[in-house]
Amino acid sequence: MKKIGFLSFGHWAPSPQSQTRSASDALLQSIDLAVAAEELGADGAYFRVHHFARQLGSPFPLLAAVGAKTNRIEIGTAVIDMRYENPMYMAEDAGAADIIAGGRLQLGISRGSPEQVIDGWRYFGYQPPEGGTDVDMARRHAEVLLDVLRGEGFAEPNPRPMFPNPPGLLRIEPHSEGLRERIWWGASSNATAVWAAKMGMNLQSSTLKDDESGLPFHVQQADQIRAFREAWRAAGHEREPRVSVSRSIFALVDDRDRAYFGRGSQDEDKIGFIDEKTRAIFGRSYAAEPDVLIEQLAKDEAIAEADTLLLTVPNQLGVDYNAHVIEASLTHVAPALGWR
């Protein structure tokens, strides 16, 4: 059994070909798709966060709305760029969204990826510590977030407060019990996955990672997951961690599927550079008739290693079509692979 959810980047564009032509379209359709996915039996509704882009940029209002409109499905991010975040304020937002959702928040965070503008986090009022990098800053923000989510008091109360305080030091409110264990780190390298394990975070691994061995993408990703789990055991954490991978998977079951994805132009891994120094490998997409798709996916080592699979969806094609994509994977593919 695997948990199967969707991952939306929430694109919008004022184009006749797009079903999401405005921010309103993208946000409201994201809520509708989460509701539809829950009705279909999917396990998760996840959203990518990008700043300075026509995509989903402020996750917590959306997560709270999805939480209020659904009852069972996990809601989450993959990922929030911690270079842009005030961890104290983020803890308040996350706690509120998790309480509204009844403890279903799965919060994916990370250093982030190359953005639309140069050093965009500077416009948000952040800069790396002296002698440090934006990576150091992101990790420091994450460490503070993890610390305050434990729910322990740290702030000295005013001796003459406006409202009565509980005894002792005060904590961030609202506090949502258990949220600390539902924080995930998006890792592109094996070393970062090991760091996430030591910090007690779950692992999110996407459709790209640092090319560290020259092996096929799914093999490198499976090695990353095994390194994460080994580091988790070595750290002595009491609970079992979770691991998600994301994939573009399209079962070709009708003419729409064949028209959109039947050309097979992305059926091989790609090599590129996400910055001047980092050679990356981008995982292939899967698009085929269900019987072929099942055979291909059975050979994906990283999916086999993960407990959670996030299906990346083309959100600009609209709610109805994306619900169809999710349903096709759940009904035509997942049972044959033992995921359902």
mmCIF file of all heavy atoms in Angstrom, residues 73-94:
data_model
loop_
_atom_site.group_PDB
_atom_site.id
_atom_site.type_symbol
_atom_site.label_atom_id
_atom_site.label_comp_id
_atom_site.label_asym_id
_atom_site.label_seq_id
_atom_site.Cartn_x
_atom_site.Cartn_y
_atom_site.Cartn_z
ATOM 1 N N ILE A 73 -8.405 13.843 3.396
ATOM 2 C CA ILE A 73 -7.192 13.895 2.591
ATOM 3 C C ILE A 73 -6.090 14.691 3.296
ATOM 4 O O ILE A 73 -6.362 15.679 3.978
ATOM 5 C CB ILE A 73 -7.525 14.519 1.215
ATOM 6 C CG1 ILE A 73 -6.453 14.209 0.175
ATOM 7 C CG2 ILE A 73 -7.798 16.005 1.323
ATOM 8 C CD1 ILE A 73 -6.880 14.560 -1.243
ATOM 9 N N GLU A 74 -4.847 14.230 3.179
ATOM 10 C CA GLU A 74 -3.720 15.014 3.673
ATOM 11 C C GLU A 74 -3.556 16.257 2.804
ATOM 12 O O GLU A 74 -3.781 16.204 1.589
ATOM 13 C CB GLU A 74 -2.429 14.199 3.626
ATOM 14 C CG GLU A 74 -2.400 13.022 4.575
ATOM 15 C CD GLU A 74 -1.105 12.233 4.511
ATOM 16 O OE1 GLU A 74 -0.346 12.399 3.529
ATOM 17 O OE2 GLU A 74 -0.859 11.437 5.437
ATOM 18 N N ILE A 75 -3.150 17.363 3.428
ATOM 19 C CA ILE A 75 -2.901 18.593 2.677
ATOM 20 C C ILE A 75 -1.479 19.046 2.969
ATOM 21 O O ILE A 75 -1.003 18.927 4.097
ATOM 22 C CB ILE A 75 -3.909 19.700 3.021
ATOM 23 C CG1 ILE A 75 -3.901 20.023 4.517
ATOM 24 C CG2 ILE A 75 -5.311 19.305 2.577
ATOM 25 C CD1 ILE A 75 -4.772 21.192 4.902
ATOM 26 N N GLY A 76 -0.789 19.498 1.942
ATOM 27 C CA GLY A 76 0.612 19.811 2.185
ATOM 28 C C GLY A 76 1.245 20.657 1.107
ATOM 29 O O GLY A 76 0.602 21.111 0.157
ATOM 30 N N THR A 77 2.537 20.859 1.270
ATOM 31 C CA THR A 77 3.350 21.620 0.331
ATOM 32 C C THR A 77 4.550 20.799 -0.083
ATOM 33 O O THR A 77 5.029 19.950 0.662
ATOM 34 C CB THR A 77 3.846 22.934 0.963
ATOM 35 O OG1 THR A 77 4.486 22.647 2.216
ATOM 36 C CG2 THR A 77 2.696 23.894 1.193
ATOM 37 N N ALA A 78 5.046 21.103 -1.275
ATOM 38 C CA ALA A 78 6.235 20.431 -1.783
ATOM 39 C C ALA A 78 6.878 21.335 -2.844
ATOM 40 O O ALA A 78 6.705 21.103 -4.015
ATOM 41 C CB ALA A 78 5.888 19.070 -2.389
ATOM 42 N N VAL A 79 7.578 22.374 -2.403
ATOM 43 C CA VAL A 79 7.961 22.713 -1.043
ATOM 44 C C VAL A 79 7.834 24.224 -0.843
ATOM 45 O O VAL A 79 7.692 24.974 -1.804
ATOM 46 C CB VAL A 79 9.438 22.314 -0.743
ATOM 47 C CG1 VAL A 79 9.603 20.814 -0.670
ATOM 48 C CG2 VAL A 79 10.388 22.921 -1.793
ATOM 49 N N ILE A 80 7.934 24.662 0.440
ATOM 50 C CA ILE A 80 8.052 26.074 0.773
ATOM 51 C C ILE A 80 9.531 26.431 0.866
ATOM 52 O O ILE A 80 10.297 25.749 1.549
ATOM 53 C CB ILE A 80 7.357 26.372 2.113
ATOM 54 C CG1 ILE A 80 5.852 26.109 2.009
ATOM 55 C CG2 ILE A 80 7.626 27.805 2.550
ATOM 56 C CD1 ILE A 80 5.122 26.236 3.322
ATOM 57 N N ASP A 81 9.918 27.493 0.206
ATOM 58 C CA ASP A 81 11.312 27.948 0.197
ATOM 59 C C ASP A 81 11.590 28.688 1.502
ATOM 60 O O ASP A 81 11.098 29.794 1.726
ATOM 61 C CB ASP A 81 11.529 28.868 -1.006
ATOM 62 C CG ASP A 81 12.984 29.248 -1.222
ATOM 63 O OD1 ASP A 81 13.748 29.236 -0.242
ATOM 64 O OD2 ASP A 81 13.332 29.571 -2.364
ATOM 65 N N MET A 82 12.407 28.104 2.364
ATOM 66 C CA MET A 82 12.640 28.669 3.692
ATOM 67 C C MET A 82 13.522 29.917 3.668
ATOM 68 O O MET A 82 13.633 30.603 4.678
ATOM 69 C CB MET A 82 13.245 27.615 4.616
ATOM 70 C CG MET A 82 12.287 26.489 4.969
ATOM 71 S SD MET A 82 10.748 27.062 5.743
ATOM 72 C CE MET A 82 11.362 27.703 7.308
ATOM 73 N N ARG A 83 14.138 30.234 2.547
ATOM 74 C CA ARG A 83 14.900 31.475 2.457
ATOM 75 C C ARG A 83 13.987 32.690 2.597
ATOM 76 O O ARG A 83 14.435 33.774 2.981
ATOM 77 C CB ARG A 83 15.657 31.535 1.121
ATOM 78 C CG ARG A 83 16.714 30.466 0.967
ATOM 79 C CD ARG A 83 17.343 30.495 -0.414
ATOM 80 N NE ARG A 83 16.373 30.179 -1.461
ATOM 81 C CZ ARG A 83 16.668 30.089 -2.756
ATOM 82 N NH1 ARG A 83 17.902 30.317 -3.161
ATOM 83 N NH2 ARG A 83 15.736 29.787 -3.643
ATOM 84 N N TYR A 84 12.710 32.523 2.278
ATOM 85 C CA TYR A 84 11.748 33.615 2.277
ATOM 86 C C TYR A 84 10.932 33.712 3.564
ATOM 87 O O TYR A 84 10.094 34.603 3.693
ATOM 88 C CB TYR A 84 10.757 33.432 1.122
ATOM 89 C CG TYR A 84 11.303 33.684 -0.251
ATOM 90 C CD1 TYR A 84 12.116 32.752 -0.889
ATOM 91 C CD2 TYR A 84 10.989 34.849 -0.938
ATOM 92 C CE1 TYR A 84 12.600 32.974 -2.168
ATOM 93 C CE2 TYR A 84 11.456 35.081 -2.220
ATOM 94 C CZ TYR A 84 12.267 34.143 -2.831
ATOM 95 O OH TYR A 84 12.744 34.363 -4.092
ATOM 96 N N GLU A 85 11.131 32.795 4.510
ATOM 97 C CA GLU A 85 10.188 32.647 5.609
ATOM 98 C C GLU A 85 10.668 33.208 6.941
ATOM 99 O O GLU A 85 11.832 33.038 7.319
ATOM 100 C CB GLU A 85 9.853 31.157 5.797
ATOM 101 C CG GLU A 85 9.119 30.529 4.631
ATOM 102 C CD GLU A 85 7.746 31.142 4.410
ATOM 103 O OE1 GLU A 85 7.069 31.472 5.403
ATOM 104 O OE2 GLU A 85 7.350 31.292 3.228
ATOM 105 N N ASN A 86 9.739 33.860 7.650
ATOM 106 C CA ASN A 86 9.909 34.183 9.060
ATOM 107 C C ASN A 86 9.416 32.966 9.838
ATOM 108 O O ASN A 86 8.211 32.688 9.849
ATOM 109 C CB ASN A 86 9.089 35.417 9.427
ATOM 110 C CG ASN A 86 9.156 35.774 10.899
ATOM 111 O OD1 ASN A 86 9.181 34.905 11.764
ATOM 112 N ND2 ASN A 86 9.161 37.051 11.199
ATOM 113 N N PRO A 87 10.284 32.192 10.464
ATOM 114 C CA PRO A 87 9.850 30.929 11.063
ATOM 115 C C PRO A 87 8.847 31.086 12.196
ATOM 116 O O PRO A 87 8.024 30.186 12.416
ATOM 117 C CB PRO A 87 11.156 30.294 11.546
ATOM 118 C CG PRO A 87 12.145 31.404 11.619
ATOM 119 C CD PRO A 87 11.743 32.383 10.584
ATOM 120 N N MET A 88 8.878 32.203 12.926
ATOM 121 C CA MET A 88 7.910 32.419 14.001
ATOM 122 C C MET A 88 6.504 32.624 13.431
ATOM 123 O O MET A 88 5.541 31.994 13.857
ATOM 124 C CB MET A 88 8.312 33.633 14.839
ATOM 125 C CG MET A 88 9.638 33.493 15.539
ATOM 126 S SD MET A 88 9.547 32.260 16.857
ATOM 127 C CE MET A 88 11.217 32.408 17.512
ATOM 128 N N TYR A 89 6.413 33.534 12.461
ATOM 129 C CA TYR A 89 5.116 33.788 11.846
ATOM 130 C C TYR A 89 4.626 32.547 11.100
ATOM 131 O O TYR A 89 3.428 32.233 11.099
ATOM 132 C CB TYR A 89 5.231 34.990 10.903
ATOM 133 C CG TYR A 89 3.912 35.539 10.434
ATOM 134 C CD1 TYR A 89 3.006 36.075 11.342
ATOM 135 C CD2 TYR A 89 3.578 35.530 9.085
ATOM 136 C CE1 TYR A 89 1.794 36.576 10.915
ATOM 137 C CE2 TYR A 89 2.366 36.036 8.659
ATOM 138 C CZ TYR A 89 1.476 36.560 9.575
ATOM 139 O OH TYR A 89 0.265 37.061 9.155
ATOM 140 N N MET A 90 5.553 31.832 10.483
ATOM 141 C CA MET A 90 5.205 30.608 9.778
ATOM 142 C C MET A 90 4.631 29.566 10.733
ATOM 143 O O MET A 90 3.677 28.849 10.394
ATOM 144 C CB MET A 90 6.444 30.047 9.071
ATOM 145 C CG MET A 90 6.191 28.844 8.211
ATOM 146 S SD MET A 90 7.733 28.325 7.414
ATOM 147 C CE MET A 90 7.148 26.947 6.447
ATOM 148 N N ALA A 91 5.187 29.477 11.933
ATOM 149 C CA ALA A 91 4.682 28.529 12.926
ATOM 150 C C ALA A 91 3.245 28.861 13.312
ATOM 151 O O ALA A 91 2.413 27.964 13.515
ATOM 152 C CB ALA A 91 5.583 28.517 14.154
ATOM 153 N N GLU A 92 2.928 30.154 13.433
ATOM 154 C CA GLU A 92 1.547 30.551 13.722
ATOM 155 C C GLU A 92 0.619 30.139 12.582
ATOM 156 O O GLU A 92 -0.449 29.554 12.813
ATOM 157 C CB GLU A 92 1.466 32.058 13.941
ATOM 158 C CG GLU A 92 2.118 32.559 15.204
ATOM 159 C CD GLU A 92 1.938 34.049 15.403
ATOM 160 O OE1 GLU A 92 1.617 34.764 14.414
ATOM 161 O OE2 GLU A 92 2.119 34.506 16.544
ATOM 162 N N ASP A 93 1.003 30.468 11.343
ATOM 163 C CA ASP A 93 0.175 30.124 10.180
ATOM 164 C C ASP A 93 -0.008 28.620 10.056
ATOM 165 O O ASP A 93 -1.114 28.130 9.793
ATOM 166 C CB ASP A 93 0.817 30.670 8.906
ATOM 167 C CG ASP A 93 0.509 32.139 8.670
ATOM 168 O OD1 ASP A 93 -0.338 32.691 9.394
ATOM 169 O OD2 ASP A 93 1.128 32.732 7.759
ATOM 170 N N ALA A 94 1.087 27.881 10.206
ATOM 171 C CA ALA A 94 1.019 26.432 10.067
ATOM 172 C C ALA A 94 0.156 25.816 11.163
ATOM 173 O O ALA A 94 -0.643 24.904 10.909
ATOM 174 C CB ALA A 94 2.423 25.833 10.104
#
